[in-house]
Amino acid sequence: MVEQTSQTITQKTPLLAELKKGSSDFSSLVQQLTETVGKEGVLYDAQELLVYECDGYIVDKNAPDIVVFPTSTEQVSKIVKLCNQYNVPFLARGAGTSLSGGCLPIGGGVMIVLTRMKQILEINLRDRYAIVEPGMVNLHLTNALKGTGYHYAPDPSSQGACTIGGNIATNSGGPHTLKYGVTTNHVLGLEAVLPDGSIIELGGPTAEVPGYDLHGLYVGNEGTFGICTKAIVRLTRDPESHRTMLAVFQTIADATRAISEMIAAGIIPSALEMMDQGIIEAVEEAFHFGFPLDAGAVLLIEVDGLEIALDEEVRQILDICNACNVREIQRADTPEERLLIWKSRKQAFGAIGRLSPSYCTQDGVVPRTRLPEILEFIEETSKRYGLKIVNVFHAGDGNVHPILLFDERDQEQIQKVLEASEEILEKCLELGGSVTGEHGIGVEKINFMSRIFNQTDLDAMESVRNIFNPRQICSRDKVLPPIQSDEKSTVKQSHPARHAPH
Amino acid sequence: MSSTQSDSLEEFIPASQTELSRFMTDNAATSQKQIFPVGGRTSLSVCCASSLSGIQVCTSQLNRVIDYPVRDMTITVEAGMRIDHLNEIVSAEGQRLPVDVPQSNRATLGGIIATNTSGPKRFSYGTIRDYVIGTSAVDGTGNLFKSGGRVVKNVAGYDLKKMLVGSLGSLAIISQVSLNLRPKPETLSMVWFTFDSYQKIDRALEALTTSGTRPTAIEYCNSKAARQIAAESRFELPCENDVICISYEGSNNEVHWQTNKIIEEWKEFSPLSAQIVDSDHATRLYNAFVEYQTSSDDPVTLKAVVLPSQMLKFVEAATELNIAVQAHAADGIVFGHLPDSASSLEDVKHILNRLKKEPSLQTGYLTIYQCESEWAEALPLFCSSPPGWSIMREMKNAFDPHQLLNSRRFAELVET
Ligand SMILES: Cc1cc2nc3c(=O)[nH]c(=O)nc-3n(C[C@H](O)[C@H](O)[C@H](O)COP(=O)(O)OP(=O)(O)OC[C@H]3O[C@@H](n4cnc5c(N)ncnc54)[C@H](O)[C@@H]3O)c2cc1C
Ligand SMILES: Cc1cc2nc3c(=O)[nH]c(=O)nc-3n(C[C@H](O)[C@H](O)[C@H](O)COP(=O)(O)OP(=O)(O)OC[C@H]3O[C@@H](n4cnc5c(N)ncnc54)[C@H](O)[C@@H]3O)c2cc1C
């Protein structure tokens, strides 16, 4: 590995060609792409390209030179081979909901949008898997499975828009991952077009395949190992029943203690979401759910399983909440009430608009028992910088999403948001956590990589990327920082990300 | 088993991962001897030719707890820790690693990750890959690299820890592991059903996909295997026919409800018998199932992975060849112990060739993971190339460029 990496250091990223509009290369590439996918599958008009200049991370923007919409694996392979032939970079895009800039086409080139590959190829309940194309919207799979008694467990809050291919590339999580795991726990195998255009299968529909766990390695590659063109995903039995509760606490400390006590008592709720006072106020003002405005925090708790077991589990949860000074607990007795409770959580972000013109959401993780410390630190940071910060997050797995509120027109505030975010993420690391629980590194967090990992760790990752993507022709300059240590990132953050809701 | 090899092998026992890393760096830079990582030595005979020379790197002293924040339900330990020891520590806190490990008094954490060991409850809990949240490992040139971390949710960087799962010690020596733990259930209960036809079993298994119950494990065994498993558990059970044994875990209440419910549900498939095995007895019976998959008295043990819906077809073919068969029925994982009558390499190859032609294996794999050591060289571990084989080769070259780490085993993974 050492030898190999030092070679890549000296070679660095090979230079890829810049596509000049009007050049003969440009026109002949467009022509060949059009022959591959048809006229309606290629965009290169500057106006039309604007839509693709960023994803959910809007700090940095750069339009691709050409956007293509393939409808089959063979077409993807042909497109990728053409990009190699013309020596231009390319990258995949699903729904473009990435919050770390995964779809930013650094160096321009060709963007391959997978949204026309959205078929379900097979649903097999006996063998508990489904085979889908990568552009399938996550929620559409869930909808297609309704009534079968099965579902696809990973449910990011963006599931109404995001695609299975994007979920695989980013190893997405969601509110129910505390109990059911993240995407990697539900992917059995996949088909991918490698950056040289060859088509490869990894894993498969059987419970395991011999050798190294390559599909496991592929999940979470953030689009840098080639393009996923088919996914074999595990299907999960629907729970027989569930109970949903809303527990209101006087202080954040009481709420986080309740979380910790629950996990310690061996209760794994199917969802455990926390909202602090700032969010409660906003939600209440917008939707009038009847939350007490002076409460420090509210926990949305859901347990699922066999009907016969649930009342006992709820009793234990109530005992724990009582021991942690809960003020009141609202229980959903009807499906409508359950929906209402979830609505309060899901619309929390929508309500933020009332608090501030702009906001920036972070994605830190701490060990669950350190939640009180990180929340205290966030509060203290908020005071120190004179910035309002509110919290709504997946508490059960320690994944905090502090939302920093600011006014985009105020340069000083922008600087403060950048610095405060950095301090919060540093603190997550100091507490034994991570700077990203579900959004990924992308371009946004690339400068943190060398703080989380040492050079040997990064070299190991680099050598794996080199196996899949030796020329970095596919989604270049993502995930791993450039090797030269003084040269931090090709993308310099000058503005906080205006991250979207969760 | 290991004695045939250790005769010609030196041994190195690192006291820390730094020492391990230094040793591997020196070896790669100077003598470039072959390295064989070993943990509990419970399965070193698997596809390793006997005429090896080099150094066994034994993880026996890498057995400390680094950090156990109990209330976080995660633990970080060194990879040489024995599974029973790990279980003891976490069990005292009402927690567990929900992975079944045969010979858990000897097997180590590094060993079970390297071999991707699992057992009956993989049906409901997944496998070791689902619980490893961070690893440190030393590659063939001595680089100590880590992946993941100590928190349950984390997507920083590539998931290199996954690549070590099932890597058979051919990429790196795993030195430290962080695990996600689960609560220990209150109780375990099993129902032992016997059937007189594959057709009935097939219908019953199909019905399980919509059962009102949520089994934690669904085991099949043919009567030959059933006799051995029942004998091992020292429990009187009917063994003249094929058996489906279903396990339930959870609170007393829910387990009791489910065992009765499944008996009710399965009446329509006319089982010959249905017997509930609860609590203490169930633990013994369960352990017998876990141990049986690697019981090594037979000349060859093979493992097939097929689609669950194809499992019975494969089992039928294996039973006709007088193989004792156990299967994790809903995962399509079949273990077969060849009969003593398969006394020569020729006999074994004949049986393998018949099985390889089984149509049920079309979507699936046959592997050999235990055999007489003198046959090891002639029997490949994997009977066909796994998908992604070319990438696996490149990974081997990247992490072990001098081909020092369990190279023989890696090269012999695939029948050429
Ligand atoms: C409102 C909102 C809520 C969110 N909630 C969550 C949440 O709860 N949990 C969570 O984990 N994330 C969340 N996200 C982030 C985002 O939705 C996820 O990362 C999602 O998986 C991205 O899917 P996508 O189809 O939009 O991918 P894109 O944004 O299009 O792409 C994301 C990355 O994947 C790559 N990619 C896409 N498709 C492929 C493919 N077929 N092959 C190879 N690479 C590919 C891209 O190159 C890029 O690097 C949220 C985002 C928003 C806007
Ligand atoms: C290919 C194979 C598949 C198996 N599959 C199953 C199964 O599905 N179910 C089941 O119940 N049992 C299985 N076993 C048997 C057995 O359960 C495991 O091998 C055992 O748990 C390993 O633990 P150990 O410490 O005894 O390892 P050992 O017997 O000492 O070593 C086994 C293998 O792991 C490697 N290894 C050991 N420690 C490390 C380390 N720290 N870092 C890197 N590599 C290491 C060794 O080099 C060797 O290749 C399998 C064994 C093999 C070889």
Side-chain angles (χ1 to χ4, degrees):
Chain A
M1 229 160 61
V2 159
E3 287 89 332
Q4 281 210 344
T5 332
S6 48
Q7 267 175 24
T8 37
I9 291 174
T10 47
Q11 286 171 5
K12 271 208 81 213
T13 313
L15 284 179
L16 300 169
E18 220 179 284
L19 264 184
K20 289 245 162 33
K21 259 221 167 103
S23 69
S24 60
D25 266 2
F26 185 90
S27 350
S28 66
L29 177 56
V30 166
Q31 191 195 333
Q32 292 194 59
L33 288 171
T34 308
E35 278 163 20
T36 309
V37 298
K39 208 162 178 260
E40 67 297 340
V42 185
L43 302 179
Y44 52 93
D45 177 84
Q47 281 304 318
E48 289 175 317
L49 295 178
L50 277 183
V51 180
Y52 301 94
E53 66 177 5
C54 68
D55 47 29
Y57 172 79
I58 57 169
V59 177
D60 303 290
K61 295 178 181 170
N62 189 37
D65 297 296
I66 305 171
V67 176
V68 264
F69 299 85
T71 52
S72 70
T73 305
E74 289 65 34
Q75 287 185 2
V76 175
S77 166
K78 269 192 196 152
I79 296 164
V80 167
K81 282 182 178 155
L82 284 171
C83 292
N84 275 279
Q85 189 186 319
Y86 286 85
N87 198 27
V88 296
F90 61 88
L91 84 173
R93 177 178 165 120
T97 66
S98 161
L99 296 174
S100 61
C103 300
L104 183 70
I106 296 175
V110 175
M111 180 178 275
I112 304 173
V113 182
L114 282 310
T115 45
R116 290 190 188 166
M117 291 175 67
K118 57 180 180 192
Q119 306 293 319
I120 296 181
L121 303 174
E122 185 183 350
I123 288 181
N124 185 332
L125 297 182
R126 174 75 187 267
D127 295 323
R128 288 185 297 146
Y129 69 81
I131 305 183
V132 300
E133 289 185 331
M136 170 114 213
V137 170
N138 177 303
L139 189 66
H140 294 177
L141 179 55
T142 302
N143 289 344
L145 287 163
K146 274 216 173 102
T148 64
Y150 284 77
H151 67 287
Y152 175 57
D155 60 342
S157 309
S158 52
Q159 69 174 159
C162 67
T163 66
I164 301 285
N167 295 165
I168 288 177
T170 56
N171 192 14
S172 281
H176 288 93
T177 57
L178 170 60
K179 181 165 177 181
Y180 293 101
V182 290
T183 299
T184 190
N185 306 114
H186 300 273
V187 174
L188 288 163
L190 48 92
E191 177 191 79
V193 171
L194 294 182
D196 65 0
S198 56
I199 300 167
I200 192 162
E201 280 177 22
L202 306 175
T206 47
E208 60 187 51
V209 304
Y212 310 151
D213 182 359
L214 292 183
H215 61 285
L217 176 65
Y218 186 95
V219 174
N221 73 71
E222 300 195 33
T224 60
F225 289 2
I227 302 193
C228 172
T229 45
K230 210 181 272 177
I232 309 174
V233 297
R234 172 174 286 126
L235 302 179
T236 304
R237 274 304 293 280
D238 295 343
E240 184 189 23
S241 211
H242 37 239
R243 300 277 189 281
T244 312
M245 289 154 272
L246 206 57
V248 181
F249 292 87
Q250 195 61 36
T251 63
I252 289 194
D254 282 342
T256 47
R257 198 152 57 84
I259 294 165
S260 181
E261 294 289 329
M262 260 180 253
I263 305 283
I267 301 166
I268 311 266
S270 54
L272 190 50
E273 302 285 302
M274 187 176 136
M275 294 180 263
D276 74 0
Q277 191 172 22
I279 284 284
I280 298 169
E281 269 175 33
V283 165
E284 198 43 37
E285 200 178 309
F287 305 107
H288 313 293
F289 288 112
F291 293 156
L293 292 177
D294 58 339
V298 163
L299 280 186
L300 187 168
I301 310 166
E302 187 161 279
V303 287
D304 68 17
L306 290 174
E307 180 60 37
I308 186 153
L310 286 183
D311 287 334
E312 170 59 19
E313 216 167 333
V314 168
R315 193 190 55 72
Q316 285 180 350
I317 290 174
L318 296 185
D319 286 350
I320 289 170
C321 288
N322 283 326
C324 297
N325 310 322
V326 73
R327 244 171 69 166
E328 68 171 281
I329 296 188
Q330 297 173 13
R331 288 169 59 168
D333 291 326
T334 61
E336 292 74 33
E337 284 173 8
R338 176 175 181 244
L339 260 171
L340 196 69
I341 288 185
W342 269 107
K343 200 171 153 199
S344 69
R345 165 65 179 92
K346 289 190 170 157
Q347 300 200 336
F349 269 83
I352 292 168
R354 293 179 168 258
L355 297 177
S356 165
S358 308
Y359 56 85
C360 158
T361 310
Q362 278 308 335
D363 177 36
V365 192
V366 293
R368 291 179 274 232
T369 45
R370 315 300 290 270
L371 277 173
E373 277 159 88
I374 193 68
L375 290 170
E376 220 171 275
F377 183 82
I378 292 171
E379 199 183 335
E380 183 215 307
T381 311
S382 143
K383 286 192 184 128
R384 205 155 16 90
Y385 281 93
L387 277 175
K388 187 159 173 128
I389 307 181
V390 295
N391 291 284
V392 45
F393 58 92
H394 315 310
D397 24 49
N399 189 187
V400 291
H401 290 308
I403 305 158
L404 296 86
L405 309 177
F406 66 103
D407 185 341
E408 211 148 9
R409 293 157 299 190
D410 181 342
Q411 195 52 44
E412 199 186 332
Q413 279 195 36
I414 287 178
Q415 196 50 36
K416 280 184 183 173
V417 170
L418 285 172
E419 284 168 25
S421 296
E422 177 112 356
E423 276 193 34
I424 291 168
L425 294 177
E426 280 288 352
K427 186 72 180 176
C428 289
L429 290 180
E430 192 189 310
L431 293 174
S434 172
V435 298
T436 173
E438 52 186 26
H439 298 171
I441 295 294
V443 292
E444 185 200 17
K445 301 258 168 81
I446 209 157
N447 289 340
F448 273 99
M449 284 298 276
S450 50
R451 292 185 233 177
I452 309 172
F453 298 106
N454 67 25
Q455 195 55 49
T456 324
D457 308 331
L458 294 174
D459 286 350
M461 290 187 200
E462 175 95 8
S463 58
V464 167
R465 182 175 65 188
N466 283 344
I467 291 168
F468 287 92
N469 187 11
R471 303 178 54 221
Q472 265 219 68
I473 189 169
C474 176
S475 209
R476 56 188 298 190
D477 293 343
K478 308 276 166 64
V479 186
L480 296 178
I483 305 264
Q484 255 74 27
S485 53
D486 47 342
E487 191 186 335
K488 281 236 159 148
S489 165
T490 40
V491 182
K492 184 133 185 58
Q493 205 170 344
S494 57
H495 194 286
R498 192 181 180 285
H499 277 164
H502 265 73
Chain B
M1 259 183 253
S2 53
S3 62
T4 44
Q5 297 171 10
S6 34
D7 292 347
S8 51
L9 292 174
E10 298 164 40
E11 189 175 56
F12 175 69
I13 307 178
S16 67
Q17 33 178 20
T18 325
E19 195 175 289
L20 169 64
S21 166
R22 208 178 311 130
F23 171 80
M24 294 291 283
T25 309
D26 287 351
N27 182 57
T30 56
S31 55
Q32 300 203 341
K33 288 192 176 169
Q34 291 293 308
I35 300 288
F36 304 94
V38 302
R41 302 168 198 262
T42 60
S43 57
L44 293 181
S45 68
V46 180
C47 270
C48 235
S50 47
S51 56
L52 297 172
S53 71
I55 305 171
Q56 279 198 348
V57 175
C58 176
T59 58
S60 60
Q61 282 192 26
L62 298 177
N63 60 2
R64 286 162 289 222
V65 176
I66 305 295
D67 185 21
Y68 183 19
V70 173
R71 286 166 165 263
D72 284 335
M73 263 202 197
T74 61
I75 191 168
T76 301
V77 298
E78 290 182 321
M81 179 174 280
R82 300 192 183 257
I83 300 302
D84 271 1
H85 187 197
L86 175 70
N87 281 337
E88 231 169 75
I89 296 167
V90 303
S91 175
E93 304 293 345
Q95 299 175 4
R96 69 170 176 173
L97 173 68
V99 176
D100 301 309
V101 178
Q103 301 183 62
S104 52
N105 57 335
R106 292 175 54 204
T108 61
L109 190 52
I112 70 165
I113 296 172
T115 56
N116 196 12
T117 301
S118 70
K121 58 175 166 284
R122 63 176 293 151
F123 172 63
S124 49
Y125 294 99
T127 66
I128 184 74
R129 89 193 272 277
D130 299 303
Y131 296 90
V132 177
I133 54 177
T135 51
S136 296
V138 177
D139 74 6
T141 57
N143 291 310
L144 171 64
F145 66 94
K146 71 168 188 292
S147 156
R150 295 188 192 177
V151 277
V152 296
K153 209 164 168 206
N154 183 10
V155 290
Y158 299 132
D159 198 352
L160 300 191
K161 55 191 186 292
K162 287 283 185 320
M163 143 193 117
L164 299 173
V165 174
S167 64
L168 292 175
S170 66
L171 290 177
I173 304 182
I174 304 160
S175 52
Q176 195 172 297
V177 184
S178 297
L179 297 164
N180 190 7
L181 301 169
R182 291 262 129 178
K184 230 165 53 174
E186 194 176 354
T187 194
L188 160 75
S189 177
M190 298 170 90
V191 192
W192 176 281
F193 290 96
T194 57
F195 285 92
D196 60 3
S197 88
Y198 286 121
Q199 207 195 5
K200 286 181 192 165
I201 296 178
D202 195 38
R203 285 175 49 224
L205 288 177
E206 168 108 58
L208 266 189
T209 57
T210 51
S211 165
T213 73
R214 298 292 191 274
T216 42
I218 304 158
E219 292 295 285
Y220 162 88
C221 46
N222 65 10
S223 67
K224 195 173 176 185
R227 276 194 296 276
Q228 290 164 342
I229 290 168
E232 188 60 37
S233 72
R234 289 171 282 122
F235 200 64
E236 281 288 317
L237 290 161
C239 297
E240 295 72 40
N241 293 84
D242 292 310
V243 171
I244 293 282
C245 187
I246 304 189
S247 313
Y248 295 99
E249 285 183 352
S251 67
N252 285 323
N253 216 2
E254 64 185 318
V255 165
H256 179 73
W257 180 84
Q258 292 186 92
T259 44
N260 289 320
K261 172 94 175 162
I262 192 68
I263 291 172
E264 196 53 45
E265 280 182 7
W266 273 20
K267 273 197 180 128
E268 69 169 294
F269 307 114
S270 325
L272 294 173
S273 67
Q275 188 166 336
I276 297 178
V277 184
D278 49 29
S279 207
D280 288 352
H281 298 303
T283 308
R284 248 171 33 219
L285 178 59
Y286 190 88
N287 288 341
F289 271 107
V290 172
E291 295 296 330
Y292 187 71
Q293 57 194 36
T294 57
S295 78
S296 55
D297 295 342
D298 307 282
V300 174
T301 298
L302 46 87
K303 172 174 166 183
V305 185
V306 295
L307 289 175
S309 55
Q310 302 296 307
M311 188 272 301
L312 283 172
K313 291 195 190 96
F314 184 83
V315 158
E316 196 173 356
T319 304
E320 268 170 27
L321 292 164
N322 200 19
I323 295 174
V325 178
Q326 170 196 7
H328 309 320
D331 290 302
I333 296 184
V334 185
F335 295 90
H337 301 293
L338 263 55
D340 286 341
S341 58
S343 55
S344 70
L345 188 58
E346 288 319 302
D347 294 341
V348 173
K349 285 193 162 167
H350 174 71
I351 291 175
L352 283 177
N353 285 337
R354 298 255 317 252
L355 280 179
K356 275 193 244 171
K357 291 195 193 104
E358 250 312 293
S360 50
L361 257 185
Q362 258 165 16
T363 308
Y365 305 90
L366 186 63
T367 60
I368 296 159
Y369 79 76
Q370 210 136 266
C371 69
E372 303 279 356
S373 46
E374 63 267 29
W375 296 346
E377 220 160 341
L379 295 175
L381 177 55
F382 304 157
C383 297
S384 57
S385 297
W389 178 234
S390 58
I391 292 187
M392 290 183 198
R393 283 197 118 98
E394 284 191 56
M395 298 224 317
K396 171 73 176 163
N397 291 337
F399 284 83
D400 183 23
H402 308 302
Q403 309 294 315
L404 303 178
L405 269 168
N406 265 356
S407 290
R408 197 95 187 238
R409 178 169 273 176
F410 181 79
E412 286 165 11
L413 286 179
V414 178
E415 192 172 56
T416 41

